[in-house]
Amino acid sequence: MSWLSNVSSLKQQVTAQVTQGLLSATKLLESDDDAIFKKVQETHKPQGRQVDNLDGLFSIIGKILLHDNPKSDHDEKSVVHEVPASVINKICCKLACNCTDRDAEETTMTILEKELQNYLWDEKLVIVAAAFAVNYGEFYLLTQLDTPDPVAKNMAFLKQLQFIKEIGSVSQNLSGAINELIHAIMTVIKCVLQFRVLDPKYFEAEEQPSAPTEIARATYWTIYNVETCGSYIAKLVGNTMAEMTSRLKTLASKVSSMQKVLQVKFSHRKHEIETYKWLINRFNTYQDHTILSDLFDVEGGKTALVVGHDNKKEVDINSLKGSNVWLLISGPDACHAEMKTLTKLYLKLQTKEQNRYHIVWLPIVDEFNEREFSSLQSLMPWYTVRNPKIVKPVAIRYIREVWKFTNETILVPLFPKGHAKSLTPRTLDPLWISGDLLSLFSVHDQKKSLWHQNLQITLDLLLGGIYPEDSSKPASILCLYGGEDIKWIEDFTTMINRVKNFTKISIDLVYVSKSNAIDHYNNAIFDFITAKKVGGYWKADETHSWHFWTRLESIFSWGIRDGKNAKENNTMRDVMSLLSFNGSYKGWAVFGQLGSSHKVVKATGEVVLDVLLRINNWWKAGTNVDSFVLALNQQIEQHLKVQKHHCYHIVLPTTVPRVPDEMMICAICDRKMGKYLMYRCCE
């Protein structure tokens, strides 16, 4: 049998394999990509940039695949000192060993997982292109049948490549399809490399700001197409050229469509970066309130702002000219009690300052919930955005990245004739402590007075602006108490009545709900207080209770930022003791006197009852109110020294800044406290 008949038989076998592979590949092309790309992204475990000068290496690849050979090729070679030859050779072997494109999907995933998992996306693409260029270059050289090199001619004969020239137009069509696919592959890689032009660290970022899915998709299909194209080149036979040509054109079309998507993403990302830089410059050269217009995207001639509780009343931004404006920035789930409390302080300031100050609310939302937005908006007497959707994404990015907004509500001053440095976001801690909006703009003085002096946790500090003092009445003791143990509350209120009768001292009682209490669960306590006429109560959803606990959390947060802990600072010790009551089911009590410089007396319910039960032993008749508070404090401290006690736990909201573990020292035993997570729903 002649060698021609052997070749004919071989052609028939390979034709059957290729036809079956084409059907399998067509099915893959029509399948859903999502499952595939989830696997692709799971293989991506980069370890920083490992290939220097990708652009130079890509240029050399172009000279091979696109025959882009200008007269001088010294520039790229002089700057590409080293290439990842080892991994390129490994991938070359895998490409060469794939006999049919039925294996292309499996080989693609193997290359991604075993050879390229530690490389960045752009590096993966260029390395694979380099491996393909090596194989393609060898093939290209062998097909140059007019070469005078006898080794090349004989190699081409053994590989039976001379038929490419013999079968004319079919060969030209296939060659055109191969070139079309190569051009599409090189174009999509070039498009991916453009993203580094926008940001040199783009592919090294843990969270890429744009197009990660499309880039992963382009990476997968580039390797897949290189694999498929390589397998076709390896088994070029005349009977299957028409099928190969059609298949390669389909692949080229798919790659081209991906390149168009990537180009759109690139243009969009470029526009985002340019707009963001422009907005940064606007804030850096801030002059007046007109910058507000740059934060909104409003269509149809509508105004961006409305009055909160009257959202049909529109507000022209230019009407704010000459006013002191605060941007109120919060998440979509801001606390209603917080906004109610802020409303009281805002209206108080407006009356005092004759409407010279205005607030504009900018909610930062990921998913818009109209019901939640409208519910919060209805509480606000100040200006709000018409709809959170009109806040530009670039403005949200600025607020998050420059003003470091997370979910904690902040205020940013936009004052007339201001400057960039004045645009400093303020947390509301100083506001909740002082009860004065203007205190936000003397933060450093507040900090100095709060932590650099011998601060005492007095009743005035705890209740200033929360509990009104009646100057027409004689001085009395105010007792705040709480807990959800109804039996203890009954015993405690009975004991207070006994103490009042025994000492002839006026003691006013106020029950304070826990900040996370569900009020209808505590109806039995409220009904008991009302029926027995033993003072008042603050429900959890009322501003008094919320402001009381938030003030303590604010003092605590401020102390943490200033490096204070309970072991070294008495103020932090007292604050942590008080905060522990908010996380306890058991009873507690705080005694003090408004207008007094003495710090409050505090203890758990069990200790308070034990001390008051023995009042006959330590109370001297005829002494004044101050003496009672001091004597009670002395008795509680002595009691704690001799009696075994349980340490406490503190429940902190997520708005409190991150607390270093070493700073959480128990206020009772001075040992380091353990940390646990607690998840709680609204009910």
Side-chain angles (χ1 to χ4, degrees):
M1 184 180 292
S2 68
W3 66 269
L4 286 174
S5 61
N6 287 334
V7 169
S8 177
S9 175
L10 178 63
K11 286 180 180 180
Q12 293 175 1
Q13 294 176 18
V14 175
T15 298
Q17 291 179 349
V18 172
T19 302
Q20 187 175 356
L22 286 170
L23 293 173
S24 175
T26 301
K27 185 177 180 181
L28 175 64
L29 276 173
E30 296 173 350
S31 67
D32 185 6
D33 287 346
D34 290 344
I36 295 174
F37 298 122
K38 184 178 180 182
K39 293 180 181 178
V40 171
Q41 288 175 320
E42 288 174 354
T43 69
H44 187 56
K45 300 173 183 177
Q47 296 181 357
R49 187 157 297 283
Q50 301 183 57
V51 182
D52 294 328
N53 197 0
L54 278 180
D55 294 325
L57 181 56
F58 183 67
S59 178
I60 293 173
I61 295 168
K63 294 178 188 296
I64 300 172
L65 296 179
L66 303 177
H67 315 305
D68 179 16
N69 287 299
K71 291 182 180 180
S72 174
D73 64 347
H74 295 299
D75 291 342
E76 289 82 7
K77 292 178 182 177
S78 63
V79 293
V80 182
H81 301 293
E82 192 175 329
V83 297
S86 176
V87 68
I88 289 175
N89 288 334
K90 288 180 181 178
I91 295 175
C92 280
C93 293
K94 284 184 168 59
L95 296 179
C97 292
N98 185 23
C99 298
T100 168
D101 60 357
R102 284 181 298 171
D103 303 324
E105 182 180 358
E106 180 181 348
T107 305
T108 299
M109 292 305 301
T110 299
I111 290 173
L112 283 168
E113 186 172 3
K114 294 186 177 180
E115 310 299 343
L116 297 176
Q117 67 170 341
N118 298 139
Y119 290 89
L120 302 171
W121 291 115
D122 53 345
E123 293 176 329
K124 296 179 200 280
L125 286 167
V126 173
I127 289 172
V128 167
F132 177 64
V134 172
N135 287 355
Y136 174 82
E138 293 175 353
F139 163 77
Y140 176 80
L141 292 174
L142 292 177
T143 58
Q144 305 306 300
L145 300 181
D146 54 351
T147 176
D149 188 338
V151 175
K153 285 185 175 181
N154 290 324
M155 286 291 293
F157 176 77
L158 291 176
K159 285 179 171 284
Q160 286 293 290
L161 296 177
Q162 75 275 10
F163 78 90
I164 293 177
K165 196 169 184 178
E166 295 169 358
I167 56 180
S169 61
V170 177
S171 171
Q172 291 178 1
N173 290 337
L174 177 61
S175 177
I178 291 174
N179 288 333
E180 183 181 345
L181 179 57
I182 288 174
H183 275 274
I185 288 171
M186 293 296 283
T187 302
V188 81
I189 295 175
K190 184 177 180 180
C191 185
V192 170
L193 293 179
Q194 285 183 113
F195 283 88
R196 289 188 300 111
V197 177
L198 297 179
D199 181 2
K201 300 291 185 181
Y202 181 87
F203 292 101
E204 298 178 58
E206 290 185 8
E207 294 185 8
Q208 291 155 17
S210 176
T213 302
E214 286 74 16
I215 289 171
R217 179 176 282 110
T219 302
Y220 174 84
W221 282 110
T222 296
I223 300 175
Y224 182 90
N225 292 336
V226 161
E227 186 75 22
T228 303
C229 189
S231 70
Y232 287 179
I233 289 174
K235 55 177 178 284
L236 278 174
V237 286
N239 291 348
T240 60
M241 283 191 181
E243 293 93 337
M244 288 183 182
T245 300
S246 174
R247 164 74 173 143
L248 291 175
K249 285 183 175 292
T250 301
L251 289 173
S253 176
K254 184 175 184 70
V255 175
S256 296
S257 67
M258 286 189 293
Q259 185 271 330
K260 291 175 183 178
V261 172
L262 276 171
Q263 193 61 48
V264 170
K265 289 287 184 181
F266 172 78
S267 299
H268 178 70
R269 178 63 180 155
K270 183 179 180 182
H271 175 71
E272 279 183 347
I273 290 175
E274 290 173 349
T275 305
Y276 185 58
K277 288 180 178 178
W278 175 83
L279 185 62
I280 289 175
N281 183 62
R282 282 281 286 137
F283 275 107
N284 287 342
T285 57
Y286 166 76
Q287 293 181 337
D288 56 40
H289 71 284
T290 56
I291 200 171
L292 278 174
S293 302
D294 301 323
L295 305 180
F296 308 121
D297 188 5
V298 184
E299 298 177 352
K302 293 183 178 180
T303 60
L305 304 181
V306 295
V307 176
H309 56 53
D310 184 7
N311 58 20
K312 297 187 182 299
K313 187 175 180 180
E314 299 181 339
V315 179
D316 187 349
I317 288 177
N318 290 323
S319 68
L320 300 175
K321 185 176 181 180
S323 300
N324 297 299
V325 177
W326 286 311
L327 289 183
L328 175 65
I329 302 172
S330 76
D333 54 351
C335 176
H336 281 220
E338 179 181 43
M339 292 304 159
K340 290 178 182 178
T341 305
L342 185 58
T343 294
K344 289 182 179 180
L345 300 177
Y346 174 72
L347 294 176
K348 179 181 176 182
L349 178 66
Q350 290 293 73
T351 301
K352 181 180 178 182
E353 297 291 337
Q354 299 179 340
N355 296 325
R356 291 194 303 114
Y357 291 87
H358 298 283
I359 291 177
V360 175
W361 180 43
L362 266 68
I364 304 300
V365 302
D366 295 320
E367 296 182 6
F368 175 53
N369 184 309
E370 186 173 0
R371 185 178 61 83
E372 288 182 356
F373 171 73
S374 298
S375 178
L376 272 173
Q377 187 185 44
S378 66
L379 302 174
M380 301 175 178
W382 48 76
Y383 306 142
T384 76
V385 294
R386 178 186 298 278
N387 187 306
K389 294 180 180 179
I390 70 171
V391 182
K392 293 179 179 178
V394 70
I396 295 175
R397 180 185 172 190
Y398 184 91
I399 290 168
R400 292 190 187 280
E401 293 184 6
V402 179
W403 289 343
K404 307 299 181 185
F405 172 78
T406 51
N407 275 327
E408 182 181 6
T409 304
I410 59 174
L411 277 171
V412 181
L414 298 179
F415 291 169
K417 299 180 181 179
H419 50 82
K421 290 184 178 179
S422 68
L423 299 176
T424 303
R426 269 76 166 181
T427 66
L428 301 190
D429 288 341
L431 174 61
W432 306 136
I433 294 171
S434 68
D436 180 9
L437 266 166
L438 293 180
S439 69
L440 290 175
F441 305 98
S442 57
V443 170
H444 298 295
D445 293 338
Q446 282 278 333
K447 191 170 183 177
K448 183 176 180 180
S449 64
L450 191 65
W451 292 112
H452 293 267
Q453 295 180 10
N454 187 21
L455 178 71
Q456 298 281 354
I457 299 296
T458 64
L459 207 58
D460 284 4
L461 177 62
L462 294 181
L463 299 183
I466 300 176
Y467 186 87
E469 182 180 5
D470 190 348
S471 58
S472 64
K473 292 184 177 180
S476 63
I477 293 172
L478 180 62
C479 174
L480 307 176
Y481 69 105
E484 296 175 333
D485 183 348
I486 185 67
K487 178 64 170 61
W488 177 86
I489 290 172
E490 292 173 354
D491 293 342
F492 176 71
T493 52
T494 300
M495 178 61 71
I496 288 296
N497 285 330
R498 178 189 165 198
V499 169
K500 288 166 66 174
N501 292 331
F502 179 74
T503 62
K504 309 302 181 186
I505 292 176
S506 175
I507 301 177
D508 296 330
L509 290 174
V510 175
Y511 175 83
V512 181
S513 299
K514 292 165 59 177
S515 62
N516 61 357
I518 307 301
D519 283 333
H520 66 259
Y521 290 167
N522 286 340
N523 281 338
I525 295 174
F526 304 146
D527 291 342
F528 169 79
I529 292 172
T530 301
K532 298 296 183 179
K533 298 181 180 180
V534 285
Y537 54 81
W538 296 341
K539 292 184 176 181
D541 63 356
E542 294 178 351
T543 58
H544 291 81
S545 179
W546 179 89
H547 197 172
F548 173 77
W549 293 117
T550 302
R551 177 169 290 178
L552 285 170
E553 291 166 359
S554 296
I555 296 173
F556 175 81
S557 298
W558 214 340
I560 290 297
R561 292 189 184 103
D562 203 40
K564 309 298 181 184
N565 63 57
K567 188 173 183 178
E568 300 170 353
N569 186 277
N570 289 331
T571 300
M572 284 295 283
R573 183 184 295 270
D574 291 338
V575 169
M576 290 178 68
S577 295
L578 290 167
L579 282 174
S580 71
F581 299 154
N582 191 30
S584 175
Y585 167 83
K586 296 181 179 181
W588 57 269
V590 174
F591 294 84
Q593 187 179 7
L594 290 170
S596 171
S597 59
H598 297 302
K599 72 176 186 178
V600 295
V601 178
K602 62 196 178 308
T604 60
E606 181 183 0
V607 172
V608 168
L609 281 179
D610 285 347
V611 170
L612 292 180
L613 187 63
R614 297 181 289 101
I615 192 171
N616 294 343
N617 299 331
W618 55 267
W619 171 249
K620 296 180 180 179
T623 54
N624 58 26
V625 173
D626 280 349
S627 298
F628 176 82
V629 175
L630 293 173
L632 179 61
N633 185 57
Q634 185 180 24
Q635 292 298 314
I636 289 174
E637 289 181 351
Q638 290 178 358
H639 184 91
L640 293 175
K641 288 179 182 179
V642 299
Q643 183 172 327
K644 290 183 179 180
H645 61 272
H646 295 286
C647 293
Y648 51 73
H649 66 274
I650 299 175
V651 178
L652 298 174
T654 55
T655 53
V656 170
R658 181 184 176 277
V659 184
D661 293 343
E662 63 272 13
M663 295 183 66
M664 289 302 293
I665 305 299
C666 178
I668 296 176
C669 69
D670 287 338
R671 289 184 294 183
K672 182 179 174 181
M673 300 180 73
K675 180 170 68 176
Y676 301 86
L677 290 177
M678 181 178 73
Y679 295 92
R680 181 182 183 276
C681 72
C682 59
E683 290 293 337

